[in-house]
Amino acid sequence: MKIDEIVIHLQEQASEKYKNNVIKLGTPAENTIGVATTDLRKIARKLPKEPEFLLELWDTGYHECKILSVLALRPKDVTEEMVEKLMTEIVSWDLCDLFCKNILIKKDFDQYIQRWVSEEGLYYKRAAFTLIASTSVHATLSEEEIQKYLQLIQAQSNDDRILVKKSVSWALRELGKTNETAKELSILTAEELLASENKAQQWIGKDALKELVTLVKVSGRQRLISDKSKMGRVAK
C-alpha cells in the first residue's frame, strides 16, 4: 500500500458534509478531504504498522491522514522526538484528543501532564487536561493522585480559551466519576472555581457542577454515572 494510493482512496470516499465538519473544528480547508472517522478506523486496521510509513502518511498534511497515522501507530513505537513533532503539527481538538487517548495515555502520561499544563500553546494545554480526563478512566488513581490533579486544575484553569475550558471541565468531571470520595473532592474544587473572580474558572466550575452533582453509584459499575442516564435513573 502506497501513500498516494491511500490519499486517492480517501478522496474517493470524501463527502462535503464531513469536510465541512472538519473545517469547523479548525482544520484548514486545503488540508481536509472529508472522510468520517468511522470509515478511517476501518482503513487504519489495514495499514502497515511501521512508524516510518505512518510518519510519511502524516506528512501529507491531510487531517484524515494524520488521524489514520494516530490510529495505526503503536504507542511503543512512538519516540519522544515523534511526540514533539506530532504535537507541533496538531491544529484541531479532535486530533489532539485522539493522540492523547490512543498514544500518550499508554505511555508515561504524567510527564506530559506536568510539562504541558502550564504551556501557552493551545493544544499542549488542552492535551494536558485531556490526559487528566483520560487518566481517570484508564488508570487506577489513588486519593493522593486525584488530589494532585485537582490542585493542577485549580492552579492552571484561568485560561479563557474555549477549547481549554472545555477540557478542564471534562477532566474535573471524569475525576469525579472515580468514586464517592473523588466526587466530593471534585465538587469542592468546582465550587471553589465557581466562587473565583476569574471568568474562565467560573465557567468551568459551573459547567462541571452540572454533571458532578448528578453522579451516583450503580451496582456492577466501578465508576459513578449520572442519574440522568438510563442506568443512573434506576439507581436513583
Side-chain angles (χ1 to χ4, degrees), residues 15 39 57 75 123 126 154:
S15 80
D39 294 326
L57 182 61
Y123 293 108
R126 181 177 174 95
Q154 199 150 24

Side-chain angles (χ1 to χ4, degrees), residues 38-179:
T38 51
D39 294 326
L40 294 175
R41 290 186 182 278
K42 295 174 185 176
I43 298 170
R45 297 189 194 107
K46 304 174 184 178
L47 294 180
K49 303 302 180 186
E50 290 78 10
E52 296 80 9
F53 175 86
L54 296 172
L55 280 178
E56 186 180 349
L57 182 61
W58 174 284
D59 286 338
T60 63
Y62 288 116
H63 178 73
E64 289 79 3
C65 291
K66 290 181 177 182
I67 289 179
L68 285 175
S69 299
V70 172
L71 289 172
L73 274 168
R74 294 173 295 203
K76 66 183 182 65
D77 292 334
V78 179
T79 65
E80 286 305 300
E81 183 180 0
M82 288 170 64
V83 169
E84 289 302 326
K85 168 187 165 56
L86 302 186
M87 281 299 300
T88 60
E89 297 172 8
I90 288 175
V91 294
S92 65
W93 66 263
D94 62 326
L95 183 57
C96 175
D97 293 358
L98 185 68
F99 185 48
C100 289
K101 293 187 286 186
N102 270 52
I103 304 295
L104 299 184
I105 197 64
K106 299 170 185 176
K107 298 175 72 64
D108 182 10
F109 55 79
D110 188 62
Q111 64 157 318
Y112 301 119
I113 294 172
Q114 301 300 328
R115 279 164 46 194
W116 296 343
V117 74
S118 58
E119 282 272 358
E120 284 302 311
L122 174 59
Y123 293 108
Y124 283 96
K125 191 142 194 167
R126 181 177 174 95
F129 291 113
T130 297
L131 284 171
I132 293 175
S134 302
T135 296
S136 64
V137 176
H138 291 92
T140 301
L141 299 178
S142 66
E143 183 176 331
E144 181 181 357
E145 289 171 320
I146 290 169
Q147 288 179 322
K148 177 185 73 173
Y149 287 137
L150 289 174
Q151 287 167 1
L152 275 182
I153 286 172
Q154 199 150 24
Q156 300 293 339
S157 57
N158 58 351
D159 192 316
D160 199 42
R161 292 174 290 186
I162 189 63
L163 291 181
V164 176
K165 290 192 297 186
K166 285 186 174 181
S167 65
V168 180
S169 174
W170 178 24
L172 188 50
R173 288 180 281 117
E174 290 301 328
L175 287 172
K177 294 174 187 175
T178 307
N179 52 46

Side-chain angles (χ1 to χ4, degrees), residues 160 165 196-204:
D160 199 42
K165 290 192 297 186
S196 165
E197 295 182 359
N198 181 273
K199 296 295 184 183
Q201 292 182 327
Q202 291 173 9
W203 187 97
I204 292 163

